Amino acid sequence: MSNLLQVRVTGILIENGKILLVKQNVTSDRIWSLPGGRVEQGETLEEAIVREIEEETGLTTKVLKLLYICDKPEASPSLLHITFLLKRMKGNIRLPSNEFDKNPISEVLMIPVNDLVEHGFSGKFMSIVQENFPDSGSYKGLKTNIGL
């Protein structure tokens, strides 16, 4: 029996007006995404995002706060998407090994927040980041409501 619900975590790390992104095939029209991934059995949400960021970018981070909880019910399985604001504790950006990844990451970059649209993100999402995450810590319904 397959899972009826998948829980995914993504992390937003901003330093000096730049946001951490990873380059991989997200959708047919977007190749950059926020780092993150699936929560594994036995993991807390915080453990999952810290692990994913370390695996994908080489950075050790800590969760500063919950930003948004969203749904993507049209996904198969249905998706619960949880986004956290992170702080870098240590480490330098590096590429992951991609050893077991079906969708490998080809680049990890800090890009200016103002360039998010040029990297395939919606204007809505860029505005949310620029406005320092209004309504953070809340359930936002569909993932599209935060422009993702």
Side-chain angles (χ1 to χ4, degrees):
M1 187 171 156
S2 66
N3 289 340
L4 300 177
L5 178 69
Q6 184 180 107
V7 179
R8 292 185 63 82
V9 288
T10 53
I12 294 181
L13 175 72
I14 298 175
E15 296 175 339
N16 304 316
K18 293 184 174 183
I19 187 169
L20 181 66
L21 297 181
V22 295
K23 187 177 187 180
Q24 65 185 149
N25 296 322
V26 182
T27 61
S28 57
D29 58 345
R30 188 156 68 90
I31 57 170
W32 289 94
S33 68
L34 298 171
R38 197 163 44 104
V39 177
E40 294 178 357
Q41 181 65 38
E43 258 182 337
T44 66
L45 298 172
E46 184 171 18
E47 289 166 345
I49 191 57
V50 168
R51 174 187 52 78
E52 285 285 349
I53 298 294
E54 201 282 324
E55 286 176 4
E56 293 185 357
T57 71
L59 301 179
T60 302
T61 57
K62 77 171 191 177
V63 170
L64 293 178
K65 70 177 181 177
L66 170 67
L67 291 176
Y68 304 111
I69 299 172
C70 298
D71 297 308
K72 192 171 181 185
E74 73 279 7
S76 182
S78 290
L79 185 64
L80 181 64
H81 183 91
I82 304 167
T83 306
F84 292 98
L85 185 63
L86 304 172
K87 177 181 179 177
R88 182 194 313 216
M89 301 310 289
K90 64 181 183 185
N92 295 307
I93 292 175
R94 58 126 177 91
L95 278 174
S97 71
N98 288 321
E99 189 178 353
F100 305 107
D101 209 326
K102 295 181 186 90
N103 187 9
I105 291 170
S106 60
E107 209 169 342
V108 180
L109 283 180
M110 296 290 293
I111 67 121
V113 167
N114 295 340
D115 292 351
L116 277 166
V117 171
E118 294 164 38
H119 286 76
F121 288 83
S122 69
K124 177 188 270 187
F125 180 73
M126 186 171 77
S127 294
I128 286 171
V129 176
Q130 290 168 328
E131 293 164 18
N132 202 25
F133 311 103
D135 304 322
S136 64
S138 64
Y139 171 67
K140 298 301 286 181
L142 294 177
K143 197 173 163 194
T144 53
N145 290 340
I146 61 166
L148 290 176

